Amino acid sequence: MGIKGLTKLLADNAPKSMKEQKFESYFGRKIAIDASMSIYQFLIVVGRTGTEMLTNEAGEVTSHLQGMFTRTIRLLEAGLKPIYVFDGKPPDLKKQELAKRYSKRADATEDLNQALETGNKEDIEKFSKRTVKVTKQHNEDCQKLLRLMGVPIIEAPSEAEAQCAALCKSGKAWILTFTINCFIWVYAVASEDMDSLTFGAPRFLRHLMDPSSKKVPVMEFEVSKVLEELNLSMDQFIDLCILCGCDYCDSIRGIGGQTALKLIRQHGSIENILENINKERYQIPDDWPYQEARILFKEPAVFSDEEHPEIKWSAPDEEGLITFLVTENGFNSDRITKAIEKIKAAKNKSSQGRLESFFKPAASTSAPIKRKETTEKNDKETSNKKSKAGGGRKKK
């Protein structure tokens, strides 16, 4: 879920903190990507029509592999340096949210069965997407694929967004290149969940992993400008996000984003709000663990600089990719061979990168814009049946 309504709240109250950027403008940038969110997107849109999905000969879904492969090649061809971060063990405080998601998928499964009986194509499309869940196998498949592509991955101790933010906040990650060992600056976090900002990511990108067919610009947020425009401290911003609604606890019924912002500006903290709020008008959840949620945002389980895994970009394993994608998962051999050549060419092209990659990037002077939140309702991948990777077949 992320933070409920935060994009619109910022568009209305902190427009200078967000700006549209061209995808190609991130040439040479090191970007920490929330892998699980990307995989979820691929399972929903890549090769999916109603309940039909792409599969290999064994009947195993390959949508996530096709999406990860083609989308990562697009990043590499644009000169980006992706670092994929995978979720670890979820915090205990998230169990309630995970239970809600499980219940919603169960309800969606029932609704889907009814839609299949009536033949309502619109409902079939809608409810089939709501049944999607990223599994351990999906994650392992994509980790194997990315390693074979020579793209670095990190398995986070807990939340991927928190680890991405930590990479970006520390400003550096240890890498081994073909010629030198050095510290490099991680420019931004890419995800669709707005809680990346709540974890303190200095820069946050939405829509970076969208298909090129959508032609949606990347939306870049800067947390320092968010705080400046909202006139809040980071602690107050975290409290604002908890009031809006987050994954770790319920929110106060009747308090939306604008009211939450007004209350934080007036009282400064959730504690002070609770002392002054009209409890007859607003229903406060029983045993509300907002303090524990606050700690999770401020002190999440992440790797320190000293214990951080090595981040390494390397040449693709051509033989391994062909075995994994073609032999094991039924992708088209010629297309995979051509795709491998694209990976090699892209890595050669971006080997020098931006000069400032080895220094802390200066603040951008791009003109900000005010923009309403882009919805994902009609997100379609036009290359469903004509993918460049050509992997898999439809599964009913």
Side-chain angles (χ1 to χ4, degrees):
M1 180 182 73
I3 306 300
K4 186 177 179 180
L6 184 57
T7 303
K8 186 178 186 306
L9 185 68
L10 296 183
D12 292 340
N13 297 278
K16 293 180 181 179
S17 69
M18 49 195 297
K19 60 191 176 189
E20 291 183 347
Q21 294 278 52
K22 292 183 178 180
F23 178 82
E24 296 76 14
S25 68
Y26 295 100
F27 174 86
R29 298 294 195 195
K30 282 74 179 177
I31 308 293
I33 300 174
D34 177 1
S36 296
M37 173 57 67
S38 297
I39 295 171
Y40 178 76
Q41 289 179 309
F42 301 147
L43 290 171
I44 286 179
V45 301
V46 177
R48 174 183 283 272
T49 305
T51 58
E52 295 182 349
M53 301 178 69
L54 292 179
T55 67
N56 57 25
E57 290 297 323
E60 299 164 334
V61 173
T62 58
S63 299
H64 56 306
L65 292 174
Q66 181 171 301
M68 185 65 77
F69 190 59
T70 56
R71 214 66 58 85
T72 302
I73 290 176
R74 183 181 178 226
L75 296 176
L76 296 173
E77 286 190 303
L80 279 72
K81 294 277 194 177
I83 305 166
Y84 285 94
V85 182
F86 289 79
D87 281 320
K89 181 181 178 181
D92 289 340
L93 213 57
K94 198 172 182 178
K95 288 180 179 179
Q96 184 178 356
E97 172 63 24
L98 295 176
K100 288 180 182 178
R101 294 179 189 178
Y102 178 86
S103 178
K104 288 180 180 179
R105 283 195 299 272
D107 291 342
T109 299
E110 291 184 8
D111 292 333
L112 175 59
N113 290 334
Q114 292 179 9
L116 289 170
E117 288 180 6
T118 60
N120 187 318
K121 293 183 178 180
E122 184 177 341
D123 283 348
I124 290 172
E125 186 78 18
K126 176 173 65 176
F127 293 124
S128 66
K129 291 180 178 180
R130 294 181 184 179
T131 64
V132 169
K133 180 181 185 298
V134 177
T135 67
K136 181 181 179 181
Q137 187 62 53
H138 293 144
N139 282 318
E140 290 177 353
D141 288 344
C142 288
Q143 288 173 12
K144 181 176 181 179
L145 173 64
L146 291 167
R147 289 190 181 102
L148 291 171
M149 294 177 73
V151 175
I153 69 166
I154 294 173
E155 295 182 68
S158 186
E159 300 279 54
E161 299 103 313
Q163 185 60 61
C164 286
L167 268 177
C168 195
K169 278 195 291 186
S170 68
K172 60 189 177 183
W174 180 255
I175 68 163
L176 175 64
T177 69
F178 292 116
T179 56
I180 57 173
N181 296 330
C182 58
F183 280 113
I184 54 94
W185 296 102
V186 177
Y187 181 77
V189 173
S191 179
E192 295 305 310
D193 280 349
M194 293 294 289
D195 54 6
S196 297
L197 287 174
T198 322
F199 283 115
R203 291 182 182 82
F204 167 61
L205 311 179
R206 292 192 74 191
H207 309 308
L208 184 78
M209 297 296 285
D210 282 6
S212 57
S213 59
K214 285 187 65 178
K215 297 182 180 179
V216 175
V218 178
M219 182 62 71
E220 180 175 325
F221 299 78
E222 287 193 52
V223 74
S224 61
K225 292 183 179 179
V226 168
L227 301 180
E228 180 182 354
E229 285 207 84
L230 295 181
N231 194 26
L232 300 177
S233 67
M234 189 63 203
D235 286 349
Q236 290 172 330
F237 178 66
I238 290 172
D239 278 8
L240 169 66
C241 292
I242 293 171
L243 287 170
C244 287
C246 68
D247 289 344
Y248 303 133
C249 62
D250 292 329
S251 55
I252 299 175
R253 186 175 299 176
I255 293 182
Q258 291 291 354
T259 301
L261 178 59
K262 178 181 177 180
L263 290 171
I264 285 292
R265 283 174 170 169
Q266 183 177 356
H267 300 290
S269 69
I270 292 177
E271 282 83 356
N272 290 338
I273 290 172
L274 294 179
E275 289 180 4
N276 294 278
I277 198 172
N278 184 339
K279 294 181 175 61
E280 293 182 359
R281 180 179 180 184
Y282 298 110
Q283 184 177 348
I284 301 169
D286 295 332
D287 300 320
W288 191 33
Y290 70 90
Q291 292 172 317
E292 291 90 336
R294 181 192 287 156
I295 292 172
L296 278 175
F297 283 123
K298 294 179 67 174
E299 303 172 12
V302 296
F303 291 117
S304 66
D305 287 345
E306 292 73 22
E307 63 187 6
H308 206 285
E310 181 183 75
I311 295 175
K312 180 182 179 182
W313 285 272
S314 60
D317 180 345
E318 299 181 47
E319 183 178 343
L321 281 169
I322 291 172
T323 298
F324 182 55
L325 293 178
V326 178
T327 306
E328 298 179 14
N329 286 289
F331 283 63
N332 181 278
S333 178
D334 290 339
R335 289 175 177 172
I336 294 304
T337 300
K338 291 177 182 178
I340 291 172
E341 292 303 314
K342 288 183 178 181
I343 297 173
K344 291 161 65 177
K347 290 195 173 184
N348 289 335
K349 180 179 72 173
S350 63
S351 59
Q352 290 185 335
R354 305 169 80 106
L355 179 61
E356 72 255 36
S357 294
F358 299 96
F359 303 93
K360 190 169 184 177
S364 172
T365 57
S366 300
I369 65 162
K370 186 171 183 178
R371 181 174 181 269
K372 296 293 183 182
E373 183 171 13
T374 301
T375 67
E376 302 294 331
K377 182 177 180 181
N378 296 315
D379 188 1
K380 291 286 186 180
E381 177 102 353
T382 59
S383 59
N384 284 353
K385 302 177 181 178
K386 298 182 179 180
S387 74
K388 294 181 180 178
R393 57 187 177 85
K394 292 286 185 178
K395 174 185 177 181
K396 292 187 178 181

